[in-house]
Amino acid sequence: MVILLFLLSILLGPLTRHGKNKTVPNVVGKSFDEAQKILNNSGFDVEVQDSIYIDTTAKGTVLRQVPDGDAIVKYSRTVHLTVNRHVPPMVEMPNLKDFSLRNAELQLKNMGLRVGDTFYVHDFAKNTVQEWRYNGSPIAPGTKIRQGSSIDLVLSDGVGDTEFTVPNLVGMTFGEAKKFLESNGLSFLSIMPDPDVTDTASAFIYEQHPPRMGPDGKRIKIRTGQTMDVRLSIVRPAIDTTLQKLPEQQ
């Protein structure tokens, strides 16, 4: 037993290569072939642990390594590498209808897709996605495309196709006018109450821009998505009943 223990203590060092440590070369950012050559020459085995796709990095590039570069490990340790894929994986085109531009960008980024060109069409829901295109043609949600592909977005410009005569808001309370404008796809840009106005909703509109009629007596037109400016007073102004009409669509 004494002899066996003595022999084991002598052989244990060479068998486990006690004291023979090596520094792992840092191969992140290098091509797989170059990384494998460097690691093999340094006495390490190489194994590809995973492969992912990043479109901003060259294909076949080492993205991660375990153990990390400059780590001190036992001689002949296996280094596991994560490599950038040569062929991008397929992903499904998401449904971006009515997404804001910001949300559409985030959704595409999460899917590994990129925003290409942006185009605009008339619609009063400003900067919302109305359509999306791949290689110049519309693409249906769920269609398989390569990760890293560019998607062109068709956005609304905030102005609709519907055109009508500017409504006359003079004499309405602000609350009434707000509901009226919203029902016609319009909104307020500037609200200017007189100093004595304490309740905006019940204050009366006595001036608006644009007016219903121009200086030449012709009716002024407005589109859905556009805005109006108003001045408010606690005193109800005189109302011209000939102007109290709903917008006339063209």
Side-chain angles (χ1 to χ4, degrees):
M1 289 295 294
V2 171
I3 293 172
L4 288 174
L5 291 172
F6 177 73
L7 292 174
L8 183 62
S9 65
I10 293 175
L11 296 174
L12 190 62
L15 289 174
T16 60
R17 297 181 177 181
H18 180 68
K20 292 187 178 181
N21 297 326
K22 297 232 17 168
T23 300
V24 181
N26 186 0
V27 294
V28 172
K30 300 184 183 299
S31 69
F32 173 74
D33 291 340
E34 184 182 1
Q36 186 176 40
K37 183 177 180 180
I38 292 172
L39 291 170
N40 289 159
N41 290 341
S42 299
F44 295 99
D45 296 326
V46 178
E47 183 178 312
V48 177
Q49 185 179 42
D50 194 10
S51 61
I52 58 178
Y53 181 72
I54 300 177
D55 62 349
T56 55
T57 303
K59 298 173 183 177
T61 299
V62 176
L63 302 174
R64 289 193 294 270
Q65 68 178 79
V66 178
D68 293 332
D70 300 326
I72 306 297
V73 298
K74 292 279 184 155
Y75 184 81
S76 195
R77 173 82 179 268
T78 298
V79 178
H80 300 277
L81 304 179
T82 298
V83 181
N84 197 31
R85 295 179 60 160
H86 284 272
V87 179
M90 302 295 286
V91 295
E92 291 187 359
M93 179 65 212
N95 188 347
L96 303 177
K97 179 64 175 174
D98 295 327
F99 275 40
S100 69
L101 175 58
R102 175 60 177 163
N103 287 340
E105 288 175 335
L106 290 175
Q107 180 71 3
L108 291 175
K109 183 178 180 180
N110 290 337
M111 299 296 294
L113 301 171
R114 294 182 293 178
V115 176
D117 295 328
T118 53
F119 306 91
Y120 285 87
V121 295
H122 286 323
D123 189 274
F124 66 89
K126 189 172 184 179
N127 275 338
T128 56
V129 178
Q130 302 303 307
E131 187 181 292
W132 49 94
R133 300 169 184 168
Y134 174 62
N135 288 338
S137 300
I139 177 173
T143 304
K144 296 281 190 179
I145 54 176
R146 291 285 180 191
Q147 200 174 78
S149 299
S150 293
I151 303 298
D152 299 332
L153 299 178
V154 180
L155 307 171
S156 56
D157 62 4
V159 180
D161 288 321
T162 305
E163 184 182 68
F164 46 78
T165 301
V166 172
N168 181 40
L169 306 179
V170 174
M172 291 186 182
T173 65
F174 177 74
E176 293 170 341
K178 186 173 184 296
K179 291 180 181 179
F180 178 78
L181 290 189
E182 288 176 350
S183 67
N184 285 280
L186 303 172
S187 61
F188 290 106
L189 175 64
S190 177
I191 304 163
M192 296 165 282
D194 287 350
D196 54 352
V197 172
T198 57
D199 183 3
T200 302
S202 61
F204 295 99
I205 296 174
Y206 68 90
E207 185 180 322
Q208 69 176 60
H209 180 80
R212 186 176 176 87
M213 301 285 190
D216 56 0
K218 293 183 179 179
R219 296 175 180 178
I220 298 175
K221 301 294 183 180
I222 194 170
R223 289 181 181 271
T224 51
Q226 292 185 304
T227 58
M228 297 184 67
D229 302 330
V230 293
R231 290 182 176 273
L232 306 179
S233 171
I234 59 173
V235 179
R236 185 173 187 176
I239 302 173
D240 185 349
T241 56
T242 63
L243 297 179
Q244 291 289 9
K245 296 179 182 178
L246 291 175
E248 297 172 8
Q249 297 186 4
Q250 296 295 321

